[in-house]
Every structure is written in C-alpha cells, then in structure tokens.
Amino acid sequence: MYIFQLKLKIYTDIRNDKKEDIMIVMKFGGTSVQDNIWIDKALNIAEAQLDKAPVLVSSAMGKTTDCILELINLAESGKMADSVPPFEELKSIHLLTAYSFLSGENLKNCETKLNTLFNDFISFLKGLSLLRECSSRSQDALLSFGERLSTTIINHRALERNMVARFLDAREFMLTDENFGAASPLMDIIDDRIRERVIPEAGVLLVTQGFIGSTQGGVTTTLGRGGSDYSAAIIASALSADEIQIWTDVNGIMSSDPRTVKGVKTIQSISYREAGELAYFGAKVVHPATIQPAVGNKIPVLVKNTGNPEHPGTRIEHILTGTGLKAIAAKKEITLINISSSKMLNAYGFLSRIFAIFEKYKTPVDLISTSEVSVSITIENTQDLESIIKEISLIASISVEHDKSIICMVGQDLWKDSRFISRVFAILEETPVRMISLGSSDINLSVVVPQEKADSAIQKLHDSFLS
Ligand code: ASP
C-alpha cells in the first residue's frame, strides 16, 4: 500500500513538474497588432496564458513593412520630399497608439524610445537619398525598425497593464548568415544562443521581434517577407516549446478560399504535409517551410484568430488526424503543355531531355502526367515559354493551352475511399478535365480545368464533400 502511494506521489510530481514546465511561443502577425485595440486583444490572449511562460513574437504593426519599402523606394529615387507624408503618417500611427493607452513612466519611456527609433530611421533614409542607392544590407537595417517599433509599444503596454514583461532584441540571439533580405539562421549555433538569451518563466511575458536577426558581426538582417513565423518556429524549437500559436485575422485554415467559395469551414486539424500541399497551391496558410523547425521537433502549431480567440482555429500536427478530403485549393493562370513523340515508346532518357529544357530556363513544373508516348506538364511561369517551345519542338510535337486552373483536393489517403474518385468525376461531369494527377503524393488529387470553370467546379466539390 505504502509503495503504491509512493509511486503515485512520484508520478503526480512528475506530472506536476511537466505542467509547470509548459512553455509556448505565440506569434502575432501585422493585422493582429495593427492598432491599440488589436494590441490589447493580443495582450489579453497573452495574459490569459502567462502561466505557460509565453514568448511573444510580433510582426510590425499593420502595413508598416510595405510602408518602409515605399519610403526606401522614394529615397532611392531622390524623391525625399515625397517621402515626408508617408513617414509622418507612419510616425503618428505609432506615437498615437502609444498615447492612446500608456501613461506616466510607461508613456515617457516608450515615447523616448519611439522617437529615438524614428530619428535613427530618418537619418538612414536621408543617407540613402544622398547615395541614391539602397543595398540589401541597408534595406534590412531600415526594415528592422518596423518590428522594433511594434514590440517597443507592446512591451510598454504590457507593463502598463501590470504584467511582468521583458523586452528582448531578437538581434542578440537570431544569428544569421549575411544573405541580406533573406538571411538564413545559423542553425548550428542559434539554439544555444537562444537558450542563453531567451529564458521563459511562468508569469513573465517575453516580448521579441519576428523577422529580424543579425550576423555574427552584429549587422542587422531580415529573414525575408513573412519571416516572423519562421522566427517563432526557430525560437520554439530551440526552447522545445510545447506549442506554437500563430495568431492571425482569420479563424484558422479554411477548407477553401472564402473569397470565391461559399460555406467554407475551418479545418480543425491538419498534418504538416497536408498544410504543405495547400500552401503550395496558394492557400493563405502558414507555409510549412517557415515552420520547418517546429516540424522537425514535432511541436504542434495552432493557427488562431486574434479577433475571435474563442474559436478553436486549426491545429497543425505531425501525426495524421483522420483520412478523407480536408480542403480544396486552386492555382489559376496555369499553362498546360502537351508533348508527344513516338520516340518515347520504349525509350529511356527522353523525359530527362524534356525536363532538362525546363531546368535550363529555370521554369518550375507543377503537375506531370505521362503515357507511353506523351507527357503533359503544367507551368505557372511562362516568361520563357517561347524558347521552351522552340527547343522541345526539335525533339517532339508540342501543343500549348493557356488559361487553365489546377484544382487541388487535399486529404490523407484519398484513394482509400474507393468511391471518392467516381464522386469527384460525377460532380465534374460537365467540366472538361484536361489532366489528372493522383498518387505522386498520397494526399492530393489534382485536376486541370479551364479557368472559367474552376470556381463553379470548386463550389460543387466543396458543397458535396465539405459542407
Ligand atoms: N513584417 C514582415 C513582413 O511584413 C514580417 C512578418 O510580418 O512576418 O513581411
């Protein structure tokens, strides 16, 4: 009896320890921190989870990054005078946000920091306009201000709300190479550096920037547009976080594009691979490449709506959750190329010659379907189509069809439901399907249809399978 109780106690202690150890990384995108109201929504979310030792990673406020790029453009082309109104607007958005919800010391400190940042920013910008040239290194320096401004405000607002908050400059731990504009984190040293500098603690909110980093020599870099998700995933993976929360302005990942399809729903749970297929086909979701560090460490990623935090959102997980169709995405403006040659019959090396031509012109191929004597290919980038046609014509006959769409149906083991394919084609009975691809991945059935038929076809498929 005593031994049993002892065992139970040890077990309970382990569980309790585990619970105390929980830590999360929450990333807020630009719309989630666009103004004072949204920043407070974001902080409500963080405050409610303070026991999970959160690290808050933020993007720049609203459209700040676009605005900075516009300012750089104007400065570079010597139109410094034209840059004054957008600069003043950017400055007032940040200062007014601070004035709206800060007071006393917090306001004073925050205002001083914001003014220093804006003074540094304008000096940089003036430098550019004199040189009439902006290197990607200077561009990164300027872009970094967006995230540094937003997190300065967020940190002071958290303090104003009596939260225990600490500001961390991501450039002290997000070490990258010198590929300015799209710098790669130095994976072999970054984990240790993060663990050294980012020390999560239950009850404390750590506030830091997404998107920005620095070289080992201390020069500011950025990870590329939309890089904040990547920052969050890197931090989460270094700290073995229990969860990454990506806070956006939509209720998670949708079963189709709500702008063109009626009745779309949030996908409750999706695997990394399924999410990857959707992202590839243009669905506006978290891109798997950006959460790769989380994938490697099997950290679940939750996509939630800052404007509607009660909504469960979507959970992206390592393990597969349920089979069957989960979502339908589309890629428009697709060109279909049909290549046929009797030389393909029982020949080898023919396909590689064809693909070498696409490789030569750096033209990515989306879908491929082959028979003994023909191959159909879809491409999106038609910049070098003329040259590609010319070269292929030397070895095969070729025909090209423009204005096509790929409809991509995503779900695990679609083929396991033997009626799935027949249902799809019954629904598409009045849609001329030009190409089909199933099997190259076990989670994707793609069909190529005329563009003008795509929206209605997707609607019918969605109504039948997902409503
Ligand atoms: N602010 C940067 C951008 O707009 C990074 C991010 O939001 O992820 O691309």
Side-chain angles (χ1 to χ4, degrees):
M1 184 62 183
Y2 175 72
I3 292 175
F4 172 72
Q5 275 175 349
L6 188 69
K7 272 191 180 162
L8 191 69
K9 183 175 176 337
I10 294 169
Y11 175 71
T12 323
D13 286 349
I14 293 170
R15 291 288 310 159
N16 288 345
D17 275 1
K18 176 103 192 66
K19 193 156 188 320
E20 271 170 30
D21 279 354
I22 279 189
M23 74 108 356
I24 57 170
V25 174
M26 30 176 53
K27 178 257 166 178
F28 290 91
T31 39
S32 291
V33 293
Q34 60 185 296
D35 58 24
N36 54 351
I37 295 170
W38 280 82
I39 290 177
D40 264 339
K41 285 183 198 203
L43 285 172
N44 290 343
I45 291 162
E47 194 166 20
Q49 300 185 80
L50 270 186
D51 59 328
K52 296 181 189 161
V55 179
L56 186 158
V57 176
S58 181
S59 296
M61 284 176 74
K63 297 258 172 271
T64 301
T65 307
D66 289 334
C67 178
I68 297 176
L69 285 172
E70 188 198 329
L71 290 170
I72 293 173
N73 219 336
L74 290 169
E76 236 186 335
S77 41
K79 297 183 187 144
M80 212 39 201
D82 292 349
S83 74
V84 176
F87 172 76
E88 287 305 328
E89 198 190 328
L90 193 66
K91 192 171 170 183
S92 72
I93 288 172
H94 287 85
L95 285 169
L96 290 177
T97 303
Y99 296 150
S100 72
F101 57 17
L102 298 178
S103 63
E105 281 295 293
N106 288 321
L107 177 58
K108 212 173 99 198
N109 294 340
C110 185
E111 194 181 9
T112 310
K113 284 177 192 148
L114 294 182
N115 280 326
T116 308
L117 286 168
F118 277 114
N119 288 342
D120 291 351
F121 181 89
I122 203 74
S123 313
F124 259 110
L125 205 64
K126 280 184 183 149
L128 285 193
S129 78
L130 290 174
L131 294 170
R132 293 275 184 103
E133 191 267 316
C134 181
S135 63
S136 42
R137 178 178 167 142
S138 309
Q139 175 156 312
D140 276 0
L142 281 158
L143 287 176
S144 76
F145 281 88
E147 271 68 12
R148 288 156 65 200
L149 289 160
S150 65
T151 47
T152 300
I153 299 176
I154 294 167
N155 182 52
H156 283 93
R157 178 58 182 161
L159 295 172
E160 177 87 16
R161 291 171 51 144
N162 291 322
M163 296 164 74
V164 183
R166 269 179 223 136
F167 179 91
L168 299 175
D169 190 328
R171 293 172 299 170
E172 285 173 14
F173 55 80
M174 193 56 71
L175 299 178
T176 71
D177 63 14
E178 301 192 354
N179 185 19
F180 297 99
S184 298
L186 300 173
M187 288 307 191
D188 42 340
I189 53 171
I190 208 165
D191 283 2
D192 285 342
R193 181 64 84 96
I194 292 173
R195 284 194 279 262
E196 233 170 76
R197 304 287 167 104
V198 186
I199 306 186
E201 204 183 317
V204 179
L205 180 69
L206 301 182
V207 178
T208 194
Q209 308 78 35
F211 179 54
I212 70 171
S214 88
T215 65
Q216 280 179 286
V219 183
T220 301
T221 54
T222 67
L223 308 182
R225 290 305 305 267
S228 294
D229 288 353
Y230 196 25
S231 305
I234 290 166
I235 298 170
S237 132
L239 300 175
S240 304
D242 294 272
E243 183 175 276
I244 303 180
Q245 300 176 354
I246 306 264
W247 291 89
T248 66
D249 56 349
V250 289
N251 290 335
I253 302 174
M254 298 292 161
S255 54
S256 203
D257 186 343
R259 290 168 304 182
T260 47
V261 182
K262 288 192 206 81
V264 298
K265 292 189 299 204
T266 297
I267 304 168
Q268 279 177 5
S269 157
I270 192 166
S271 67
Y272 291 123
R273 284 186 60 216
E274 289 166 321
E277 289 285 344
L278 284 179
Y280 178 68
F281 281 92
K284 191 181 164 252
V285 292
V286 177
H287 199 289
T290 66
I291 53 166
Q292 185 52 44
V295 181
N297 284 298
K298 302 187 182 160
I299 302 173
V301 179
L302 205 57
V303 184
K304 299 246 309 171
N305 187 350
T306 310
N308 185 11
E310 287 77 36
H311 194 284
T314 301
R315 206 170 170 80
I316 310 177
E317 300 212 61
H318 177 73
I319 39 153
L320 289 168
T321 40
T323 57
L325 189 65
K326 291 219 172 102
I328 308 171
K331 219 174 192 189
K332 295 193 172 158
E333 306 295 338
I334 292 296
T335 297
L336 175 64
I337 303 172
N338 302 300
I339 301 158
S340 60
S341 169
S342 52
K343 287 188 200 136
M344 266 177 91
L345 198 61
N346 290 327
Y348 55 85
F350 186 81
L351 284 180
S352 78
R353 282 167 71 196
I354 298 281
F355 286 115
I357 298 172
F358 286 93
E359 193 181 335
K360 177 175 167 192
Y361 291 100
K362 297 193 170 61
T363 300
V365 167
D366 285 333
L367 296 187
I368 309 160
S369 162
T370 58
S371 74
E372 262 300 339
V373 290
S374 70
V375 51
S376 298
I377 283 167
T378 65
I379 60 168
E380 205 180 355
N381 174 357
T382 52
Q383 205 181 320
D384 291 309
L385 186 58
E386 284 300 301
S387 315
I388 291 171
I389 295 174
K390 226 186 238 165
E391 290 204 26
I392 293 179
S393 307
L394 299 176
I395 50 173
S397 15
I398 176 166
S399 72
V400 176
E401 299 173 40
H402 294 286
D403 301 325
K404 297 282 174 278
S405 284
I406 300 174
I407 299 178
C408 163
M409 288 157 261
V410 174
Q412 185 61 36
D413 294 339
L414 290 175
W415 53 270
K416 275 197 180 157
D417 175 1
S418 51
R419 286 163 315 154
F420 176 71
I421 305 276
S422 60
R423 272 179 75 191
V424 167
F425 287 102
I427 294 163
L428 295 177
E429 113 193 298
E430 274 159 32
T431 312
V433 173
R434 293 293 297 115
M435 186 174 160
I436 304 162
S437 164
L438 167 76
S440 57
S441 90
D442 49 358
I443 53 172
N444 172 348
L445 168 66
S446 293
V447 292
V448 176
V449 301
Q451 187 149 297
E452 71 277 9
K453 305 267 186 205
D455 285 348
S456 64
I458 294 172
Q459 186 68 62
K460 281 189 218 151
L461 288 165
H462 194 278
D463 289 348
S464 168
F465 285 102
L466 295 167
S467 282

